[in-house]
């Protein structure tokens, strides 16, 4: 469904995120026919570039990052021809009049702040000063939203001086992933799971976001952040919220975000013994984390595993195990809901112990499977075996499911539609920092180094032990 014509300005329009994600996402939505004629896309940055230079820059970005998608040469030429560029100083006055001249009246205006948080305030202030921020204007801000509770609060305060909360779209791109939205569909669209979705029936829940990549070219940023700030405080926290929250009364921004916030606020502090920090080591001539970030003394973690508890009626007593790391064996994100054993086995001890496990595969090979216990075939008596009821979405839904939009496509269009459901509210981000801050403070106070793990492994041994000592084990990363 096409959206109304709009003006979108990408501050940081020559940056890495614009190249990799934002511009290719806009191009795909353009090819899908979602943008009406007259929609105006404007890159803005400090670099001195003409419109023609910017079109070349974007053409290269599409070559590099939009290889998988079909489009015609005409579509591509038309998309590029409509792009504009403004050389602009976020801290000064240069370029703002030209930008104002390019913007239309009476249209939805969206401003994507794809810049460091230090520029959020100056940009917001100048948008007002130059008459560019009417009531319908929206701003989009990226993570990291601060590096702790204090900085996140300060950012929220700065933005609130210029924009109402209803105009602020804080991105966590995990919420734009098709399968992450599917978590809500699976939970709240089916009668089957919800009655069992509590500590009476669920033994524990595991959330894994494993990556094979290292820190790449982002060593500077990453070494100051670490896995806790880069992944746990936002992406894993959001997954935890969607799995654990109470059913919202409606699928609308306030209802969904209120419920997520309650989950974060109900999280217990995590004791140091319930958390493992890891760092990948060098392997022969393959560099490790320290070489990648160019800091031989770094004690930053590239892996975290932890055990969390949610103190509320639904979840008291059910642990949530979370882990994420770089340079692991496979790129796998999944959530496993491990149900309790049946209270009594009519088949006797020799039938073994069995559990149903609902696994929601977020990426790759998106789908769900449910381990169900059945009789092992053959004449050998009543032996039981667990087999998966496996549903891969592309098989179940046909070819349509293969062309899933990238998270950024969905999220940018939601900004234009004015739908904040899949964006983080200010209080949510603050609550998430309030939970992670003491964990990080404990590490800093203890001054201990992360434990080392091999690239291509499932993480440090200590992370396996975190579950073993509870008589449980992680699902394999494969
Ligand atoms: C980003 C993190 O937010 O998410 C990266 O900063 C991480 O470190 C990335 O690699 C993972 O996203 P995805 O979509 O590849 O799972």
């Amino acid at each position: 469904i096409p959206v109304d014509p709009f003006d979108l300005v990408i501050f940081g329009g020559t940056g890495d995120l614009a190249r990799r994600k934002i511009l290719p996402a806009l191009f795909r939505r353009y090819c899908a026919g979602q943008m009406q004629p007259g929609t105006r896309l404007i890159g803005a940055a400090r670099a001195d570039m003409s419109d023609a230079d910017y079109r070349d820059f974007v053409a290269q970005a599409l070559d590099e990052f939009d290889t998988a998608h079909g489009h015609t040469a005409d579509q591509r030429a038309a998309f590029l021809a409509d792009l504009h560029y403004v050389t602009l100083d976020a801290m000064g006055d240069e370029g703002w009049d030209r930008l104002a001249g390019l913007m239309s009246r009476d249209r939805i205006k969206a401003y994507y702040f794809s810049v460091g948080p230090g520029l959020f305030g100056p940009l917001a202030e100048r948008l007002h000063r130059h008459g560019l921020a009417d009531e319908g204007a929206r701003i989009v801000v990226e993570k990291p939203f601060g590096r702790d509770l204090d900085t996140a609060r300060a950012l929220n305060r700065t933005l609130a001086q210029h924009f109402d909360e209803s105009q602020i779209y804080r991105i966590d791109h995990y919420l734009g992933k098709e399968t992450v939205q599917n978590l809500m569909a699976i939970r709240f669209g089916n009668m089957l799971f919800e009655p069992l979705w509590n500590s009476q029936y669920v033994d524990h829940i595991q959330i894994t976001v494993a990556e094979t990549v290292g820190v790449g070219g982002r060593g500077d940023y990453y070494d100051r952040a670490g896995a806790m700030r880069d992944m746990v405080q936002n992406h894993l926290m959001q997954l935890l919220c969607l799995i654990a929250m109470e059913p919202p009364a409606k699928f609308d921004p306030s209802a969904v975000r209120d419920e997520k916030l309650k989950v974060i606020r109900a999280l217990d502090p995590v004791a140091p013994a319930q958390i493992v920090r890891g760092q990948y080591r060098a392997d022969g001539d393959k560099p490790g984390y320290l070489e990648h970030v160019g800091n031989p003394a770094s004690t930053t973690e590239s892996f975290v595993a932890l055990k969390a508890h949610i103190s509320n009626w639904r979840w008291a007593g059910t642990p949530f195990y979370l882990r994420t790391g770089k340079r692991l064996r496979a790129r796998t994100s999944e959530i496993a809901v491990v149900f309790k054993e049946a209270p009594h086995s009519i088949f006797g001890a020799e039938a073994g112990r069995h559990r149903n496990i609902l696994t929601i595969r977020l990426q790759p090979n998106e789908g769900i499977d449910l381990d169900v216990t059945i009789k092992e075939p053959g004449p050998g008596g009543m032996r039981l075996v667990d087999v998966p009821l496996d549903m891969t979405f592309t098989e179940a839904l046909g070819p349509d499911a293969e062309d899933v939009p990238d998270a950024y496509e969905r999220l940018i269009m939601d900004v234009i539609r004015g739908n904040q459901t899949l964006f983080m509210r200010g209080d949510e981000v603050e609550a998430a920092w309030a939970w992670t801050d003491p964990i990080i403070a404990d590490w800093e106070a203890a001054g201990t180094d992360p434990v080392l793990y091999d690239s291509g492994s499932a993480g440090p041994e200590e992370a396996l032990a975190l579950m073993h000592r509870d008589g449980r084990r992680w699902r394999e990363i494969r």
Side-chain angles (χ1 to χ4, degrees), residues 143 173-174 177 211 218 230-231 235 326 331 363:
K143 69 170 269 265
H173 79 281
Y174 266 56
K177 287 183 192 270
E211 297 186 277
R218 303 155 71 228
D230 184 53
M231 297 292 286
H235 305 325
K326 304 238 178 244
R331 179 172 187 250
Q363 62 188 30

Side-chain angles (χ1 to χ4, degrees), residues 201-204 206 321 337-342 351-358 370-374 384-387 467 470-473 475:
Y201 298 103
V202 176
D203 177 74
H204 73 277
Q206 304 185 12
Y321 297 92
V337 181
V338 181
F339 290 91
K340 291 186 174 170
E341 289 167 23
R353 299 162 60 163
H354 299 272
R355 282 178 168 168
N356 299 120
I357 303 177
L358 174 69
L370 179 63
D371 285 359
V372 177
T373 305
I374 61 169
L384 302 185
V385 59
D386 298 332
V387 289
M467 281 196 99
D470 293 344
R472 301 182 173 111
R473 64 189 162 85
R475 312 256 311 156

Side-chain angles (χ1 to χ4, degrees), residues 15-316:
D16 201 48
L17 186 75
R19 248 162 35 91
R20 281 171 191 277
K21 295 286 184 187
I22 305 172
L23 291 158
L26 288 165
F27 178 53
R28 277 177 233 139
R29 288 297 93 206
Y30 180 86
C31 294
Q34 214 169 16
M35 291 183 203
Q36 303 229 23
T39 290
R40 184 158 286 183
L41 306 177
I42 304 165
R46 259 204 322 235
D48 197 7
M49 272 194 198
S50 63
D51 283 350
D53 296 336
Y54 193 59
R55 288 169 194 155
D56 288 345
F57 167 86
V58 177
Q60 272 178 26
L62 297 183
D63 287 344
E64 210 174 327
F65 298 108
D66 190 49
T67 44
H69 289 73
H71 57 260
T72 65
D74 284 353
Q75 279 175 319
R76 186 183 150 99
F79 175 77
L80 292 173
D82 278 349
L83 292 172
H84 297 269
Y85 180 78
V86 179
T87 305
L88 182 130
D89 180 0
M91 305 293 271
D93 287 321
E94 189 201 334
W96 288 94
D97 288 342
R98 164 126 203 278
L99 180 62
L102 279 173
M103 304 292 286
S104 330
R105 280 175 198 281
D106 308 326
R107 279 241 186 128
I108 292 165
K109 299 180 183 59
Y111 301 101
Y112 203 125
F113 289 10
S114 182
V115 295
L119 293 181
F120 290 180
L123 284 176
E125 194 258 318
R126 278 170 181 75
L127 285 172
H128 275 277
R129 200 191 309 159
H130 293 274
L132 292 169
D134 53 37
E135 270 181 16
R138 289 126 214 213
I139 58 169
V140 184
V141 296
E142 272 291 333
K143 69 170 269 265
F145 197 82
R147 55 176 285 109
D148 53 22
L149 179 58
D150 285 348
T151 48
R153 267 195 189 134
L155 280 177
N156 275 334
R157 268 199 305 267
T158 305
L159 294 179
Q161 282 169 11
H162 305 285
F163 292 96
D164 185 69
E165 181 63 31
S166 64
Q167 299 177 284
I168 304 172
Y169 290 73
R170 293 177 197 76
I171 287 213
D172 182 312
H173 79 281
Y174 266 56
L175 292 175
K177 287 183 192 270
E178 192 72 10
T179 38
V180 174
Q181 293 165 56
N182 224 333
L183 283 179
M184 285 182 277
I186 290 165
R187 279 195 64 194
F188 305 128
N190 293 286
M191 190 57 202
L192 195 60
F193 304 118
E194 204 47 31
L196 305 178
W197 213 259
N198 57 54
S199 60
Q200 197 180 341
Y201 298 103
V202 176
D203 177 74
H204 73 277
I205 289 179
Q206 304 185 12
I207 302 180
T208 299
V209 177
E211 297 186 277
T212 50
V213 292
V215 293
R218 303 155 71 228
D220 264 3
Y221 149 77
Y222 194 92
D223 202 37
R224 276 179 282 118
M228 193 71 189
R229 290 189 172 98
D230 184 53
M231 297 292 286
V232 178
Q233 185 271 347
N234 38 79
H235 305 325
L236 275 86
M237 179 69 88
Q238 291 296 322
L239 297 178
L240 173 79
C241 286
L242 297 180
I243 275 289
M245 71 184 182
E246 295 302 312
K250 281 193 220 144
F251 187 61
D252 81 9
S254 306
V256 170
R257 299 189 298 178
D258 285 350
E259 294 307 336
K260 287 198 293 167
L261 180 63
K262 286 185 212 161
V263 173
I264 307 175
R265 290 201 173 141
L267 276 166
D268 287 348
V270 182
Q274 307 295 359
I275 183 157
V276 176
R277 313 167 68 213
Q279 192 187 72
Y280 59 89
R281 58 159 78 93
D283 174 15
D285 53 1
K286 284 207 215 97
Y289 178 85
L290 298 179
E291 291 78 29
H292 277 153
V293 298
N295 174 6
S298 173
T299 59
T300 301
E301 77 286 352
S302 59
F303 175 99
V304 172
L306 63 86
K307 178 178 172 186
H309 282 282
I310 300 173
S311 280
N312 64 16
W313 269 62
R314 186 186 284 263
W315 292 120

